[in-house]
Amino acid sequence: MKLAVPKERRAHETRVAASPDTVKKLVAMGFEVAVEKGAGEGSAMVDEAYEKAGAQIVKDMKTACADADVVLKVAAPIADSKRNEIGMMKEGAILVSQLSARTDKELLDKLAGQKVTAFAMEMVPRITRAQSMDVLSSQANLAGYKAVIDSAEQFTRAFPMMMTAAGTVAPAKVMVFGAGVAGLQAIATAKRLGAVVSATDVRPATKEQVESLGGNFVAVENEEFEQAQTAGGYAKEMSDEYKKQQAALIAETIKKQDIAICTAQIPGRQAPVLITEEMVQSMKPGSVIVDLAVESGGNCPLSEVGKVVEKHGVKIVGYANVPGRVAADASQLYAKNLLTFLELLVDKENKKLSVPHDDDIIKGCLVTEGGEIVHPDLKA
């Protein structure tokens, strides 16, 4: 079994799909591992460490993938007129990567055209058995932490209350939009830094989680709110009337905040607008908004991908690929997610690849195979 770990080439991508620690375990599983030269540089993982773990360092992606049975990536392969990473994979190869499969039909067509067996890691079902393979959670956790650190960098005041001989410094007031994995970590991080934290989410189950972290929960708690969560744990689309009531409550609350951390996203959909331009205008001068949803449309319409902009006296942070801003830890966690997933595909006795099509995890994230798009939710 041959496995390739190419260097990521998409803009802002600093992570790598395997660490020296996971390479060691992949070799023990029976893989011959080829790592493209410099693949781990953005994550402080040097070629020598991969070699020591048992990998072969190769000069380029084409060499790494030419005869690879499995290709591990962080971001979806590029397949444009200048670079065709999909074309570097052999027919029938297995690709394990984040693919944005619900929104990039063209990519799926190209993967099917190359007869790649592709697994979209963002579609791993959120069941107990798959928790250790959940790349969305592992990366969102770090994104929530980094969002608070980024807000502190842009904020011109301190986070904690300070009692000094020269006077008292009031604590920063932080509001977190969305209490999923990223949001809960943002709450915990802001609390550790000494801020007064509040949070909002349309899912009723999050209220207890927010309060357990010391945050104040802000939401219109009516009958619709009680039913606002899917069986898979995601937020449902709310009615226009609820959105109107919630927006009024948030508009009144955000005036008093110093920092807003936006984390609300709906898989496969454009991110909901939670902070309008009018709300931005109402915020205090020097306030900061960090929009983690900027790459899927943004929770604030004024945020710009990859930029920090100032609008109406408020700094709006729209960094792309926030987990990649904590690349070393993000890569370690992502690599472990992929290692655990690969255990499903390897016959340990014979050390051969075998796709268990009846496995619920496989059913949830297998998107192309045998020249076709096979996931029922993605077929045309």
Side-chain angles (χ1 to χ4, degrees):
M1 301 184 296
K2 295 185 177 181
L3 182 146
V5 182
K7 186 174 183 177
E8 300 293 326
R9 288 172 169 79
R10 288 191 179 270
H12 309 294
E13 190 53 77
T14 53
R15 294 169 291 175
V16 63
S19 67
D21 287 341
T22 61
V23 163
K24 189 181 298 183
K25 293 172 182 175
L26 289 167
V27 170
M29 287 168 64
F31 284 106
E32 294 177 28
V33 180
V35 176
E36 183 181 354
K37 180 178 174 62
E41 285 179 352
S43 301
M45 299 176 189
V46 298
D47 292 343
E48 291 78 6
Y50 284 109
E51 285 185 306
K52 189 175 180 181
Q56 178 188 5
I57 303 300
V58 298
K59 63 178 181 178
D60 54 29
M61 181 175 178
K62 185 176 181 180
T63 305
C65 295
D67 60 351
D69 303 302
V70 178
V71 178
L72 303 184
K73 286 185 80 337
V74 178
I78 299 170
D80 58 27
S81 57
K82 294 182 180 179
R83 291 176 292 184
N84 184 7
E85 294 182 336
I86 294 174
M88 295 181 192
M89 302 177 203
K90 71 177 186 180
E91 287 192 359
I94 291 173
L95 170 65
V96 183
S97 177
Q98 297 177 105
L99 298 174
S100 300
R102 295 189 184 278
T103 56
D104 197 344
K105 175 66 163 50
E106 183 180 355
L107 175 70
L108 298 187
D109 287 337
K110 290 177 178 178
L111 288 168
Q114 188 68 11
K115 296 184 179 178
V116 171
T117 298
F119 292 95
M121 291 303 292
E122 75 275 8
M123 293 179 66
V124 167
R126 285 190 159 173
I127 57 178
T128 302
R129 191 166 63 87
Q131 285 181 346
S132 60
M133 310 170 201
D134 187 350
V135 300
L136 293 182
S137 292
S138 74
Q139 303 304 289
N141 189 53
L142 287 167
Y145 157 80
K146 187 60 175 172
V148 176
I149 302 303
D150 286 339
S151 74
E153 179 185 8
Q154 298 296 331
F155 193 44
T156 56
R157 290 173 41 208
F159 263 56
M161 174 182 284
M162 297 182 185
M163 307 288 287
T164 77
T168 300
V169 174
K173 294 181 179 179
V174 176
M175 185 167 186
V176 178
F177 289 77
V181 175
L184 292 173
Q185 182 56 248
I187 294 167
T189 302
K191 286 294 292 183
R192 284 195 292 268
L193 290 177
V196 175
V197 184
S198 57
T200 183
D201 196 294
V202 297
R203 295 168 296 172
T206 60
K207 179 180 180 179
E208 184 178 344
Q209 295 171 314
V210 168
E211 292 176 344
S212 71
L213 292 170
N216 176 48
F217 191 72
V218 180
V220 175
E221 299 184 43
N222 59 16
E223 186 175 340
E224 183 176 358
F225 173 77
E226 298 298 326
Q227 307 296 323
Q229 187 167 321
T230 68
Y234 294 104
K236 288 183 180 179
E237 183 74 18
M238 305 299 282
S239 69
D240 290 341
E241 179 58 29
Y242 183 89
K243 289 177 183 177
K244 184 178 178 180
Q245 294 178 35
Q246 179 73 354
L249 175 61
I250 297 306
E252 191 59 35
T253 305
I254 202 168
K255 295 177 183 178
K256 307 167 188 175
Q257 307 301 311
D258 299 304
I259 292 168
I261 308 291
C262 299
T263 73
Q265 300 188 66
I266 303 171
R269 301 276 296 277
Q270 181 158 321
V273 173
L274 302 179
I275 300 179
T276 63
E277 183 169 3
E278 186 178 1
M279 292 179 186
V280 175
Q281 289 176 313
S282 75
M283 295 179 74
K284 295 179 284 187
S287 298
V288 177
I289 297 170
V290 179
D291 193 348
L292 288 181
V294 66
E295 291 172 285
S296 57
N299 293 151
C300 177
L302 301 181
S303 61
E304 297 182 28
V305 178
K307 297 181 180 179
V308 178
V309 296
E310 187 166 333
K311 305 285 185 178
H312 308 297
V314 176
K315 287 185 178 179
I316 305 173
V317 180
Y319 290 132
N321 186 21
V322 175
R325 291 170 57 77
V326 200
D329 285 333
S331 295
Q332 289 281 6
L333 296 180
Y334 183 83
K336 185 63 185 298
N337 292 146
L338 266 56
L339 173 69
T340 308
F341 179 78
L342 280 175
E343 290 176 352
L344 298 177
L345 307 182
V346 175
D347 180 337
K348 294 180 181 178
E349 286 188 14
N350 300 314
K351 293 192 175 181
K352 291 184 178 179
L353 290 165
S354 177
V355 178
H357 292 90
D358 58 345
D359 188 293
D360 288 340
I361 298 174
I362 298 300
K363 290 178 184 177
C365 63
L366 176 60
V367 293
T368 65
E369 187 178 35
E372 298 180 353
I373 297 173
V374 296
H375 196 288
D377 293 349
L378 304 176
K379 290 181 179 180

